[in-house]
């Protein structure tokens, strides 16, 4: 664009000033003006931004040091080992390419959110140009255009309204407010008024639900509120998930450790032991490949994928795999109110009639005047399928009638509407007139209590009509105030009978009325939400409500759900206006005391999420509207709504709730905790085994022993680093997984005693393997044949290392609990993986031809017995260590 538009406070200015600033008039722009402004401001569409090619995205995935070392190891393995190293090189390359493809896929999902925003735009707009109303492509709108709106339209650009006849616009996707906003051109607004209070504005992509109006386009494209959100979405900071951070940390530690140990091994072997340089290089490469768990990324991906399948069956659709594990570390769930914690559907909750305040569940007779008025003074339509169409407040009243067996369609057949006074924002009333069977007419009036009470002179009292007294008036006002304090939206119902159709003027139709009752409505909390909040708190997770709705409504729902203690007198609600007055530094000092944020904008939501992240907390953010998209992307895990959610919010999310059920999040958290625990087990298993392999080669080099051939290490890694490791990833959850606090961002795969277990178990494996090798040298079967003695010792060390890792797989089912407590054979996949891995290991020794390729010999029964006993000691010793640890209470401190 050659010119920038002003995102000015047009809502705080008189319409004449707005027209003057935009250099237009109520007759609209001329064709020449439109052409010039299109050249200046560009089309009314969202920027696509700079797009990288698929190849560029793919290449970027290889800029990780661990990946580079793995690729180098794969190449050197083939160069030095020939066909022997080809299998391992292929595995390494397959893992690397798979991870790169997955990274490209994740990046594509992020771009989908912007595309979804673009697809929401209205295709055409009715605009006044050259003094005539025409239809144009909404992308050709420019600031200064005069646009016509009516019920059913999608607002095509941001507009300052010039005309509003009973105009209501549904802005939930932008503001989070659950009911359509009634537009009012008479309101005086401050320059800092939040979006939800700007009642003289219409915003792009919102929906006109009632009435008609017109307005002057103030902003188009990226300068609209939706464009502003798109910009925030494109520039949002995507914090790495705890899983990514842990894997990165692990990668970094392993990479440097491998480089150092490989260099030392090569140096000692070549310059101290006199090993040929090529042989020393081969040994160093074998050590590097043995040390790096090249299968780990693929195994983590498999474990996460299996977790997604479990969650999909329980209505949680995972869009990005790391989200499964991130859920398990979640400490804060920042939830949108409308449609997430609530039903996003106005519902009658209280009815005050005949001097009694009744719950909506009470029985109501079809002759009840309050019930009749709420259904008569109502423009809701019912389609053939039974779906209610109309304003959410009015459809709630009709639905209440249907629930009480009052079918307004049947009643109106006998008492048809013959005249009406439509609702308007000035008098805040609506009246309909119905012909009765006796020839009289029933006038039904509903509206705002403060306006309607002025026109009432009589009251129903136990089916009798009498004059309204001051005591009656006080009782009505007190009830109205009580309902309003509960954050209920209150409407008053009144009526009268007349002998003929009156003149359709408010002073005639809407006077001398009989009070029928009050109706209190609210967008109610989901039935399961309160229990889900309680479970979250028990699991150490703090629920936070962030909504664009009014403060009183948000506070009432929060107390009903248990987010705020109903008996707590402290102020736990913070508004967007109050947040505007604080800098980020000031807000960081006070934000912890608030559990509810009301009347907030998209920028506020991002600030709140970042405030918790700055404290090191793992934050999950739920939402369904366009306004939630930036904060969904900024949060550690964004959770979108599958039913009520916009495509924009889904596109910015890591997980989508197929049932829009807050309780499903808690199910996902439990699965996430299980997934992390299982990944920990896999890492403990792999790294303790790899530690043993590295130490065996390193110590053997120092001792001048030739314990294991590179092909042995590669085959053991292929056999034991895949099937058992993957099977550990689907272990059942250990008891009490939801009774402890979240591990949080500071924990790692090595927390909870795992690091200590890796170290001592790796050392123990090394001692056992080298011990068997030493035993074979000291007590040979082929006395005097040095070559045969070495071959047998090498074979026994190879068998022991392979078997010891299979035995060890049972140990890591729990860091501290005995394998007999957790159940060694509960996991059928694990059992089969051990069997298959054992057969693959044995095939290299007992199948003719294989032993030559793998440089092993046929062992005697005594040698087999020594190898099996040496391997089985792994379980015995670890069980003893665990018993000592439990006795010392170490298991109580582990998460």
């Amino acid at each position: 664009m050659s010119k920038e538009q002003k995102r000015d406070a047009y809502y705080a200015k008189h319409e004449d000033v707005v027209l003057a600033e935009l250099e237009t008039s109520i007759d609209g722009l001329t064709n020449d003006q439109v052409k010039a402004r299109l050249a200046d401001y560009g089309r009314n569409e969202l920027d696509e931004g700079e797009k990288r090619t698929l190849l560029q995205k793919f290449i970027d995935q290889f800029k990780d040091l661990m990946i580079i070392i793995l690729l180098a190891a794969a190449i050197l393995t083939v160069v030095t080992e020939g066909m022997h190293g080809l299998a391992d090189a292929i595995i390494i390359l397959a893992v690397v390419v798979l991870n790169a493809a997955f990274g490209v896929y994740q990046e594509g999902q992020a771009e989908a959110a912007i595309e979804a925003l673009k697809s929401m735009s209205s295709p055409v707009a009715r605009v006044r140009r050259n003094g005539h109303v025409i239809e144009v492509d909404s992308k050709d709108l420019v600031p200064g255009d005069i646009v016509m709106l009516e019920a059913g339209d999608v607002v095509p650009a941001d507009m300052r309204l010039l005309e509003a006849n009973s105009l209501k616009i549904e802005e939930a996707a932008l503001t989070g407010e659950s009911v359509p906003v009634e537009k009012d051109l008479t309101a005086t607004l401050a320059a800092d008024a939040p979006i939800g209070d700007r009642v003289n504005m219409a915003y792009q992509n919102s929906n006109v639900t009632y009435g008609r109006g017109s307005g002057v386009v103030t902003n188009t494209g990226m300068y609209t509120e939706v464009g502003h959100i798109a910009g925030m979405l494109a520039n949002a900071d995507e914090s790495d998930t705890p899983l990514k951070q842990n894997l990165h940390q692990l990668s970094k530690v392993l990479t440097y450790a491998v480089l150092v140990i490989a260099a030392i091994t090569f140096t000692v072997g070549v310059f101290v032991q006199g090993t040929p340089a090529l042989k020393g290089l081969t040994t160093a490469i074998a050590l590097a490949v043995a040390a790096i768990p090249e299968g780990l990324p693929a195994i983590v991906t498999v474990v996460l994928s299996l977790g997604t399948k479990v969650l999909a069956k329980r209505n949680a659709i995972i869009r990005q795999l790391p989200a499964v594990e991130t859920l398990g570390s979640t400490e804060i769930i920042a939830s949108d109110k409308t449609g997430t914690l609530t039903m996003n559907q106005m519902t009658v909750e209280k009815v005050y009639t005949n001097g009694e305040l009744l719950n909506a569940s009470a029985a109501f007779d079809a002759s009840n005047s309050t019930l009749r008025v709420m259904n008569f003074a109502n423009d809701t339509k019912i389609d053939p399928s039974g779906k209610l169409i109309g304003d959410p407040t009015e459809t709630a009243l009709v639905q209440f009638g249907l629930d009480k067996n009052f079918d307004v369609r049947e009643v109106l057949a006998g008492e048809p509407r013959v005249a009406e006074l439509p609702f308007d924002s000035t008098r805040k009333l609506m009246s309909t007139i119905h012909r009765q069977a006796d020839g009289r007419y029933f006038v039904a009036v509903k509206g705002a209590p403060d306006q309607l009470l002025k026109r009432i002179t009589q009251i129903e009292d136990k089916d009798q009509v009498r004059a309204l007294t001051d005591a009656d008036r006080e009782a009505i006002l007190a009830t109205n105030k009580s309902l309003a304090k509960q954050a209920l939206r209150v409407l008053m119902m009144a009526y009268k009978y007349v002998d003929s159709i009156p003149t359709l003027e408010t002073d005639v139709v809407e006077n001398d009325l009989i009070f029928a009752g009050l109706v209190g409505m609210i967008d109610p909390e989901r039935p399961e939400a309160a229990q889900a909040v309680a479970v979250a708190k028990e699991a150490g997770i703090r629920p936070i409500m962030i909504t664009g709705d009014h403060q009183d409504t948000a506070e009432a729902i929060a107390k009903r759900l248990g987010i705020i203690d109903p008996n707590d007198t402290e102020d736990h609600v913070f508004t967007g206006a109050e947040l505007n007055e604080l800098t980020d530094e000031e807000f960081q000092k006070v934000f912890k005391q608030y559990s509810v944020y009301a009347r907030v904008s998209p920028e506020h939501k991002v600030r709140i999420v970042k405030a918790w992240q700055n404290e090191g907390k793992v934050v999950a953010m739920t939402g369904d509207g366009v306004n939630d998209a930036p904060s969904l992307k900024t949060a550690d895990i964004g959770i979108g709504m599958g039913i009520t959610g916009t495509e924009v919010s889904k596109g910015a999310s890591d997980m989508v709730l197929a049932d829009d059920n807050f309780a499903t999040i808690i199910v996902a958290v439990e699965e996430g905790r299980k997934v992390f625990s299982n990944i920990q087990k896999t890492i403990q298993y792999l790294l303790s085994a790899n530690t043993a392999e590295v130490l065996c080669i390193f110590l053997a080099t120092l001792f001048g022993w030739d314990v294991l051939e590179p092909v042995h290490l590669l085959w053991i890694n292929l056999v034991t680093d895949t099937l058992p490791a993957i099977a550990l990833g689907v272990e059942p959850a250990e008891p009490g997984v939801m009774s402890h606090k979240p591990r949080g961002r500071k924990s790692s795969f090595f927390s909870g005693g795992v690091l200590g277990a890796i170290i001592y178990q790796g050392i123990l494996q090394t001692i056992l393997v080298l011990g068997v090798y030493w035993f074979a040298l000291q007590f040979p079967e082929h006395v005097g044949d040095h070559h045969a003695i070495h071959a047998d010792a090498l074979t026994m060390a190879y068998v022991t290392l392979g078997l010891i890792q299979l035995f060890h797989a049972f140990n890591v089912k729990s860091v501290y609990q005995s394998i007999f407590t957790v159940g060694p054979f509960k996991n059928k996949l694990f059992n089969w993986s051990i069997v298959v891995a054992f057969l693959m290991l044995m095939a290299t020794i007992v199948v003719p031809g294989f032993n030559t390729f793998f440089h092993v010999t046929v062992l005697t029964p005594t040698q087999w017995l020594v190898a099996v006993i040496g391997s089985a000691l792994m379980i015995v010793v670890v069980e003893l260590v665990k018993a000592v640890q439990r006795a010392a209470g170490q298991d109580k401190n582990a998460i």
Side-chain angles (χ1 to χ4, degrees), residues 241 304 318-328 637 654-655 672:
T241 65
L304 293 174
I318 301 298
R319 298 183 66 253
Q320 298 201 35
L321 284 183
V324 180
E325 183 275 335
T326 307
L327 279 162
I637 174 167
D654 303 294
M655 181 178 87

Side-chain angles (χ1 to χ4, degrees), residues 223-456:
Y223 292 92
T224 62
E225 288 297 331
V226 167
H228 181 53
I229 291 173
M232 292 174 61
L233 198 57
N235 299 316
D237 294 329
E238 280 193 275
S239 57
D240 279 346
T241 65
L243 177 65
K244 289 181 180 178
Q245 292 174 345
N246 282 330
L247 286 176
H248 177 72
Q249 179 187 18
L250 177 61
S251 171
K252 191 175 179 180
V253 170
L254 286 177
T255 298
Y256 291 125
V258 165
L259 289 175
V260 170
I261 294 174
I264 292 174
T265 303
F266 177 79
T267 302
V268 171
V270 174
F271 297 105
V272 177
Q273 302 292 346
T275 305
L278 184 59
K279 175 67 174 176
L281 180 61
T282 301
T283 302
I285 292 172
L287 184 147
V289 174
I292 298 176
E294 64 272 7
L296 180 60
I299 291 169
V300 169
T301 300
V302 170
V303 172
L304 293 174
S305 297
L306 293 172
T308 66
K309 290 184 178 181
V310 172
L311 289 172
K313 292 178 182 178
R314 304 186 72 173
N315 296 311
I317 311 301
I318 301 298
R319 298 183 66 253
Q320 298 201 35
L321 284 183
V324 180
E325 183 275 335
T326 307
L327 279 162
S329 59
T330 299
E331 297 167 279
I332 305 294
I333 297 181
S335 176
D336 183 43
K337 178 185 74 67
T338 306
T340 306
L341 292 167
T342 65
M343 301 290 291
N344 195 20
Q345 178 180 322
M346 291 299 289
T347 304
V348 173
E349 185 160 292
K350 302 277 187 180
V351 178
Y352 179 69
T353 184
N354 274 320
E356 289 185 276
L357 183 61
L358 304 173
N359 289 323
S361 58
F364 285 82
D365 189 86
S367 63
N368 181 278
S369 298
T370 307
L371 186 62
R372 283 168 55 81
V373 172
M374 72 170 73
N375 280 272
F376 281 7
N378 198 309
D379 285 333
T380 296
K381 301 291 187 291
I382 307 177
D383 70 12
S385 67
K387 181 181 179 182
L388 304 184
I389 303 171
D391 180 88
T393 299
E394 293 197 330
T395 58
L397 298 174
V398 170
Q399 184 61 57
F400 180 76
L402 293 173
D403 293 341
K404 303 303 176 185
N405 298 315
F406 185 95
D407 191 327
V408 68
R409 293 168 294 186
E410 297 176 2
V411 179
L412 287 179
E415 301 178 62
R417 182 189 297 191
V418 295
E420 65 183 273
L421 277 178
F423 174 87
D424 71 50
S425 56
T426 302
R427 71 184 208 287
K428 297 182 179 179
L429 302 173
M430 174 186 180
S431 300
T432 58
I433 303 172
H434 302 261
R435 185 171 57 245
Q436 305 293 288
D438 61 4
R440 293 191 304 163
Y441 294 89
F442 179 74
V443 179
V445 186
K446 84 168 190 297
D450 60 332
Q451 296 296 319
L452 187 50
L453 190 57
K454 301 173 185 176
R455 301 164 181 260
I456 290 172

Side-chain angles (χ1 to χ4, degrees), residues 64-74 77 88 91-92 95-96 247 250-262 284-297 299 683 686-687 689-694 697 713-714 717-718 721:
D64 181 81
L65 184 57
M66 176 79 112
I67 297 298
I68 293 171
I69 289 178
L70 278 174
L71 290 174
T77 300
D88 200 66
I91 293 171
I92 293 173
V95 169
V96 169
L247 286 176
L250 177 61
S251 171
K252 191 175 179 180
V253 170
L254 286 177
T255 298
Y256 291 125
V258 165
L259 289 175
V260 170
I261 294 174
I285 292 172
L287 184 147
V289 174
I292 298 176
E294 64 272 7
L296 180 60
I299 291 169
I683 288 174
L686 292 176
L687 292 190
N690 287 16
T691 298
E693 293 169 9
V694 170
I697 294 177
L713 293 175
L714 299 178
N717 278 355
L718 177 64
D721 281 16

Side-chain angles (χ1 to χ4, degrees), residues 14-63:
H14 190 274
E15 61 185 59
D16 293 336
V17 175
V18 175
L19 289 171
E21 288 188 2
L22 293 169
E23 299 178 7
T24 187
S25 70
I26 58 172
D27 291 327
L29 301 172
T30 65
N31 290 337
D32 289 340
Q33 286 177 308
V34 171
K35 186 176 180 180
R37 295 188 186 195
L38 271 174
D40 282 341
Y41 301 128
R43 304 194 79 196
N44 179 31
E45 57 187 355
L46 302 182
D47 291 343
E48 293 187 9
E50 184 180 345
K51 288 191 173 181
R52 294 183 302 149
T53 65
L54 193 63
L55 180 60
Q56 288 174 318
K57 296 176 185 176
F58 188 74
I59 292 173
D60 283 346
Q61 306 302 316
F62 294 87
K63 295 178 179 178

